[in-house]
């Protein structure tokens, strides 16, 4: 309470009237890390470590934002588990607390999915990079989600021209999604699509029988980065829940010191 | 010659007819590093080490791109110095060589500018991160340039509420530019604007007299990240050469373990 | 069971006899990420996301290591919470499971500590980077722990030569520790020492009264990186539990685009 | 000249007498980037962009180092091309200029080597990461050089157990060297050893005939990370110029989302 009295006596420079006449669409904090608990569609809770960026708009008259309130709001939110569907409520709180017209939020975290070995079934956890970018303005919420899945590509050209063998490599499959409901996503539903679109999926544990299986299936199933982008596109179209998506496959070429990539994007018009 | 005969006898899988009916807007290579020589407006040549991404579009019928041609084209280009104004010619060559409708190029490199100490004039070289994103389609060239300049911010709130001192820190000032001529840019013209927009510029060498000057000028000139974004906006508007720009100031807060940022963008409508 | 029969029929290349006569001190996996639960000295459990490197030695006769067993052992370990003191048991399991003489383990993770605002007491969580390097050979366990704490430095020279103000900045305080018991450490005990050794501590949330306090205390307490290294050394000597330590303070200079650092190390001889 | 008079009137805090009784072995700057010109054994000059760390020791009585002199010395050095063999002279200048007993220097840069395609001979430049760590004390100079070469590994186990195909991937081959003459090194002499020790070398450009060659040679030449470490060890022993070396092969496993590594080190006793 004493500290509030003190606060009242301190000048509030952020509230000064700015004369430059320039409203700023986003002012806030970045690289802020905190623990959170993600609740998925089946209600399971996974602890994650989030890197957050959060900002609000300020009017032309307002010199600055009260950034400590952004941090306080994030901490309060992180005190309980939340599903992705609840995210608009967080941005609504930010807008209220900062008395702003608009809020934006970016959350990046690793999320682990089960990926058991394909023959022996030995359990494994595959880490998926998740990146949510959300925006809330006048009661309207929008977001896009980016996932980074690992996969494997085996080069069709190398296989076709060689007597034996074919170069293959780990690839990064990036997926940007805007579903019809505009909400951020967790990656569960997309891992099977990525596994099918690559020459083979990637596994944390492989025993010898699994390694034989993975090697042979990849050789039977050569895929350029171009093929992966197209195969994934076909599967995403079928998912029927997306108003927009972008796919990108980037392979860590085993024969070069640079990567190969192919990108595609589509708006369904809904 | 023998190798050309051999090549002719090898299947060209990239040229196979694809049945999936999906044209890809960008297929190529990324993370490719090579030495180049940048020629600035006054004709001076600076050797740089570039990280390149280059891609072309492929039609729905074409299974893949001939990626080795992208590398060969880059090497040929890098065999002589080039000014930014010549970049459309590189993309034109890519389109021709790959028989594509469209090419895109991204070049990231460090570029050094003179930034002598403010009082003693001791010479120093300040590194500026440059990032060009270029696109060429049907004879039409477009690009945007991103710069990362370092600067200093001194917090107006901290100064106003404290008996003495004020927290200050290094900041990253990012500038995205699309000039009227749509060409990529080198950073010479923008360093003075950044130095003026921050509480103080950043210097590679400061002797004691310089350090006194820098400390006092920064204290006399407190700037929030919001102030830097607005000051830079005013200066960019005056430059009168830009059809679009975006500015962002991100300060490595000395009192927090996270950063503060403010962003603004503007299209002049030309 | 069928898969075990199959496994038995597959050649085990890693078990081939190697003819090159070179025993390898460490063979294993790196960049393996998994969730773990850290139990601190008071029994509290914190979920963390770990990046692990784990390896074993192989004899000159053995062609390779069975790396999938390293992953399986890590997963089993991560199925329950563990205190740092239990880590030797994990390495003992690795040595047994891989039939090796020696195992080494590196775990890197973010660990959050409470750091409330200094005046208002608003709660905050400060992330500390933790890096354990452990080694187990013939029943003997050794480890060193590295922490990265954030702190603040305010330049004594800048203060002394300037009429007003002083440049200050975020700093990274790195601490490498080998305690008498050779066990890996969590950072709780060291945060107060770091806060005292810097010009000021770093806080996730600061209200205006806090910001005034932090600004003024830092100005009253100027510290070079050299001072921080020495102050921390004095405090670590008093802790009386360490057989070796190394300290390093690296400040993200607000007046330069490079950092300043000072390092010191000491073996107490125990 | 006026500025020198001013300088004389400003207090020199770094020269204050420190009471804590702790001599610091290394105080300096880090993350300092500047252009340099490297002259190799045949006299060819390659422009590079260097990231430098440079420090000196200070006595227990001295409060701080004059860090601006470190920057000035680096700039003067960089004004002309230098061979690695001249590096002791740079450290000698640092010791003189800072009136210190000891200086240390770390330089990291990319260095490009010719690596033409193996069949067609199409030219290519392979980037090698170079990292020099040097130390000079009482007229005695020591250094170690670290290189990062890219290479390719094809898994012998995967090949042996599979009907067809074998997983393969890009690998990072790291080499730490201390030659008999204690001088830092450029990578020319080591690239052939790395290419021979891996399943195959890595090439910036490969035409179809080259890709066939690379694919088939790699399949004929399966190598675990353990094999690469041992093969490289055999070749380094023959080089007969090294008093100490360490090798490490880390493969970006195509079947996993983590890497495999093998390490070895040897002191010849010279």
């Amino acid at each position: 309470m004493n500290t509030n009295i003190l606060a009242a006596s301190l000048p509030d420079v952020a509230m000064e009237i700015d004369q430059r006449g320039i409203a700023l669409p986003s002012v806030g904090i970045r690289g802020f890390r905190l623990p959170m608990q993600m609740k998925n569609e089946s209600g399971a809770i996974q602890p994650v470590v989030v890197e957050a960026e959060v900002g609000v708009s300020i009017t032309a008259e307002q010199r600055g934002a009260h950034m400590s309130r952004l941090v306080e709001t994030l901490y309060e939110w992180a005190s309980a588990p939340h599903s992705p569907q609840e995210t608009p409520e967080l941005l609504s709180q930010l807008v209220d607390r900062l008395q702003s017209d608009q809020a934006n939020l970016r959350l990046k975290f690793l999320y682990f999915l089960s990926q058991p070995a394909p023959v022996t079934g030995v359990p494994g956890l595959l880490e998926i990079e998740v990146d949510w970018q959300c925006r809330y303005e006048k009661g309207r919420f929008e977001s896009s989600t980016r996932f980074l899945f690992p996969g494997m590509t085996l080069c069709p050209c190398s296989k076709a021209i060689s007597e034996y063998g074919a170069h293959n490599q780990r690839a990064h499959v990036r997926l940007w999604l805007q579903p019809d409901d505009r909400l951020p996503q967790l990656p569960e539903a997309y891992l099977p699509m990525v596994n099918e679109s690559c020459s083979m999926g990637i596994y944390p544990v492989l025993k010898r029988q699994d390694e034989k299986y993975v090697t042979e299936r990849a050789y039977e199933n050569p895929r350029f980065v171009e093929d992966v982008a197209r195969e994934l596109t076909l599967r995403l179209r079928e998912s029927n829940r997306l108003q927009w998506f972008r796919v990108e496959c980037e392979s860590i070429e085993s024969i070069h010191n640079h990567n190969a990539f192919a990108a595609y994007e589509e708006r369904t018009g809904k």
Side-chain angles (χ1 to χ4, degrees), chain A:
Chain A
M1 209 179 304
N2 285 338
T3 64
N4 282 338
I5 293 168
L6 175 56
S9 73
L10 294 174
D12 188 351
V13 183
M15 289 306 283
E16 286 177 0
I17 304 298
D18 201 84
Q19 307 294 343
R20 285 164 292 202
I22 300 169
L24 296 176
S26 187
V27 170
I29 60 166
R30 187 179 281 173
F32 182 74
R33 298 185 287 191
L34 79 166
M36 282 194 176
Q37 301 167 74
M38 288 288 159
K39 191 175 3 176
N40 73 5
E41 290 197 8
S42 61
I45 291 168
Q46 181 168 140
V48 296
V49 175
V50 156
E51 181 178 330
E53 170 182 322
V54 54
V56 292
S57 60
I58 61 173
T59 62
E61 292 70 35
Q62 192 179 343
R63 184 158 180 208
H66 288 108
M67 296 195 189
S68 65
R69 297 180 194 171
L70 300 172
V71 176
E72 291 173 294
T73 310
L74 284 173
Y75 277 141
E76 287 166 24
W77 186 258
S79 66
H82 291 289
S83 70
Q85 287 75 32
E86 297 171 68
T87 312
E89 172 59 24
L90 169 56
L91 280 93
S92 166
Q93 289 179 17
L94 287 165
V95 160
D96 289 349
R97 191 104 163 229
L98 278 287
Q99 296 169 286
S100 179
D101 291 325
Q102 192 260 110
N104 48 75
L105 172 75
R106 186 171 189 175
L107 295 184
K108 291 190 275 189
F109 54 94
L110 281 187
Y111 190 86
F112 289 87
L113 293 181
S114 171
Q115 177 99 316
V119 176
T120 61
V122 175
L125 289 173
L126 195 65
E127 73 269 39
I128 312 302
E129 291 184 25
V130 182
D131 182 353
W132 292 349
Q133 296 200 51
C134 308
R135 194 180 135 83
Y136 184 86
E137 186 168 8
K138 295 173 189 146
R140 184 186 160 88
F141 179 86
E142 285 183 321
S143 74
S144 79
T145 296
R146 183 177 66 80
F147 297 125
L148 190 158
F149 292 94
M152 187 194 193
T153 54
L154 185 138
C155 179
C157 172
S158 171
K159 176 180 173 180
I161 62 181
S162 304
E163 296 290 320
Y164 31 74
H167 79 81
N168 53 74
Q169 50 269 316
R170 195 190 302 164
H172 290 159
V173 180
R174 293 187 186 87
L175 208 52
W176 290 256
L177 302 171
Q178 286 181 342
D180 293 342
D181 62 10
R182 269 77 170 165
L183 291 169
Q185 302 266 303
L186 290 175
E188 279 90 347
Y190 302 97
L191 179 58
M193 298 185 201
V194 171
N195 285 341
E196 290 166 21
S197 299
C198 292
S199 292
M200 258 316 283
I202 287 280
Y203 299 87
V205 196
L206 294 171
K207 306 305 289 182
R208 274 213 300 293
Q209 314 92 294
D210 302 305
E211 188 172 353
K212 173 183 168 66
Y213 178 87
V214 162
T215 304
E216 294 174 353
R217 284 309 82 72
Y219 191 79
E220 292 163 357
N221 194 29
R223 293 269 164 93
F224 285 129
V225 287
E226 292 94 329
D227 294 319
V228 176
R230 282 163 165 155
E231 290 294 322
L232 196 45
T233 293
L234 295 176
R235 282 163 182 79
L236 287 168
R237 283 176 177 168
E238 282 173 19
S239 84
N240 211 19
R241 295 176 50 194
L242 302 171
Q243 59 162 335
W244 174 83
F245 64 86
R246 176 182 162 88
V247 300
E248 193 181 275
C249 180
E250 177 176 348
S251 63
I252 305 166
E253 295 288 288
S254 61
I255 58 173
H256 297 306
N257 204 24
H258 57 264
N259 296 350
F261 76 93
Y264 178 76
E265 71 178 82
E266 187 169 293
R267 184 168 295 282
T268 65
K270 288 179 213 179

